[in-house]
Amino acid sequence: MTAHLPTRSRLVHDSLRAAGIAGDIVVLPDAASTAPLAAAALGVEVGAIANSLVFWSDGEPLLVMTSGAHRVDTAALAERLGRTSIKRATPEQVREATGQAIGGVAPTGHPSPLTTIVDEDLAQYPEIWAAGGTPHTVFPLTFDELVRLTSGTVAKVD
């Protein structure tokens, strides 16, 4: 059933099933490495795309699942979380933390769990879409499933 999926996406699929999430990974014909590209490919609002952004904060990776309609205010988020700073992770740090490349980072399927923040504004959408481990793969889930899947902390990120 998953033989058609890239290796990274199979790991994501297995994590989804282990968490009891039924959404199937969809392989897109073209890369959808940004929220606007993913939204256009899926025919959904850009805000319904759950961007997986990896930051470096206080010596560890921090995954922020934000609505595609938002930019993360790292200074405000650091203050809300009581962290010294939050900075964009380098491509190497992203790959090391997630096993995935920028543009296709899924909220799951990582070598080890990441501290995760989930944008509270994603809750307004009955269905959201997240990357499936590559820039060509995505999958649907609900806000509650995303929070449960990531063991995330819901917060304002913009």
Side-chain angles (χ1 to χ4, degrees), residues 47-64:
I49 302 299
N51 273 344
S52 303
L53 303 176
V54 181
F55 294 91
W56 204 255
S57 177
D58 297 349
E60 67 176 16
L62 175 68
L63 177 62
V64 177

Side-chain angles (χ1 to χ4, degrees), residues 89-111:
T90 66
E92 295 78 19
Q93 288 171 322
V94 172
R95 176 77 73 174
E96 184 179 326
T98 68
Q100 303 159 0
I102 292 173
V105 174
T108 190
H110 310 140

Side-chain angles (χ1 to χ4, degrees), residues 9-153:
S9 296
R10 281 187 231 137
L11 292 171
V12 173
H13 173 271
D14 293 347
S15 292
L16 293 174
R17 293 304 178 268
I21 297 171
D24 287 324
I25 294 179
V26 175
V27 178
L28 300 172
D30 297 311
S33 55
T34 67
L37 289 173
L42 295 165
V44 300
E45 289 181 53
V46 73
I49 302 299
N51 273 344
S52 303
L53 303 176
V54 181
F55 294 91
W56 204 255
S57 177
D58 297 349
E60 67 176 16
L62 175 68
L63 177 62
V64 177
M65 299 298 306
T66 186
S67 166
H70 288 161
R71 294 182 70 74
V72 177
D73 182 335
T74 55
L77 185 58
E79 186 175 318
R80 280 185 209 111
L81 299 177
R83 291 184 172 246
T84 306
S85 69
I86 297 175
K87 298 185 183 305
R88 267 294 174 167
T90 66
E92 295 78 19
Q93 288 171 322
V94 172
R95 176 77 73 174
E96 184 179 326
T98 68
Q100 303 159 0
I102 292 173
V105 174
T108 190
H110 310 140
S112 58
L114 299 176
T115 300
T116 303
I117 304 301
V118 179
D119 184 349
E120 65 187 12
D121 283 356
L122 286 167
Q124 70 183 295
Y125 299 97
E127 179 179 73
I128 54 180
W129 288 82
T134 75
H136 286 269
T137 56
V138 294
F139 65 92
L141 73 169
T142 67
F143 176 78
D144 290 340
E145 287 173 332
L146 178 61
V147 172
R148 183 169 46 84
L149 177 66
T150 62
S151 298
T153 299

